[in-house]
Amino acid sequence: MAEDTEAASQSVTDFLSMLDGQADWVTTSKLIRTGLPASFFDELSILIGLSPSALASLLEVKESARRRWLKTGKLTSTESDYLYSTALVLRSVLGLFEGDQLAMREWITRPALALGQKAPVELLSTFVGINTVEAFIWQLEHGVSV
């Protein structure tokens, strides 16, 4: 049991390191263009403390796409771009709550007045929504009235 917790912790650490790689846009862009490994989605689910099925439901990822990922071992470039962008936003939310996964999950699923009474997770299905949630997080972090 302790080994499972340690392995999950190491996986989250590795995953966050990959997201921190955003400073190297050339490498990150190449990874996205060639397709991120299918494990990226599962590691994202570990990061936020949800099962892959629950995360798929929240992000409206189709079961057929998840089956294809298992078969091919990687995401398409479009899926990679979307999930990488989503992961960056979710990492920001996790940072907003100082690593508290429960608080993060509650926040992303609770409607916000500043988002037109939509829950942040409802907006994560498009890049426009991702940008809106990123801007909202920035406002909260910097004390900007929302």
Side-chain angles (χ1 to χ4, degrees):
M1 183 71 145
E3 290 177 9
D4 290 341
T5 303
E6 189 174 308
S9 178
Q10 182 60 44
S11 180
V12 168
T13 301
D14 293 345
F15 186 72
L16 288 173
S17 294
M18 182 182 177
L19 292 178
D20 287 338
Q22 68 175 327
D24 181 2
W25 288 108
V26 173
T27 301
T28 301
S29 293
K30 184 177 179 183
L31 275 171
I32 289 170
R33 276 193 315 275
T34 59
L36 292 169
S39 62
F40 186 87
F41 186 80
D42 293 334
E43 291 171 10
L44 179 58
S45 72
I46 291 168
L47 171 69
I48 63 173
L50 289 174
S51 70
S53 297
L55 179 60
S57 177
L58 273 177
L59 298 179
E60 299 178 10
V61 173
K62 294 182 177 167
E63 187 60 36
S64 59
R66 293 184 61 216
R67 282 193 304 271
R68 182 175 33 79
W69 299 342
L70 286 173
K71 185 178 177 183
T72 64
K74 65 187 209 174
L75 287 67
T76 66
S77 60
T78 302
E79 293 164 339
S80 296
D81 195 22
Y82 164 70
L83 286 174
Y84 188 83
S85 297
T86 301
L88 290 176
V89 170
L90 293 174
R91 183 190 63 173
S92 294
V93 176
L94 192 58
L96 187 65
F97 291 99
E98 299 178 355
D100 184 335
Q101 292 175 323
L102 179 60
M104 184 203 70
R105 283 194 306 273
E106 289 175 0
W107 185 83
I108 65 171
T109 57
R110 186 179 324 119
L113 183 60
L115 298 175
Q117 289 296 26
K118 299 279 187 195
V121 74
E122 291 179 64
L123 301 176
L124 295 181
S125 61
T126 66
F127 286 107
V128 170
I130 288 170
N131 292 335
T132 301
V133 174
E134 283 177 329
F136 183 44
I137 293 166
W138 185 91
Q139 291 172 323
L140 293 172
E141 288 177 332
H142 293 88
V144 176
S145 160
V146 288

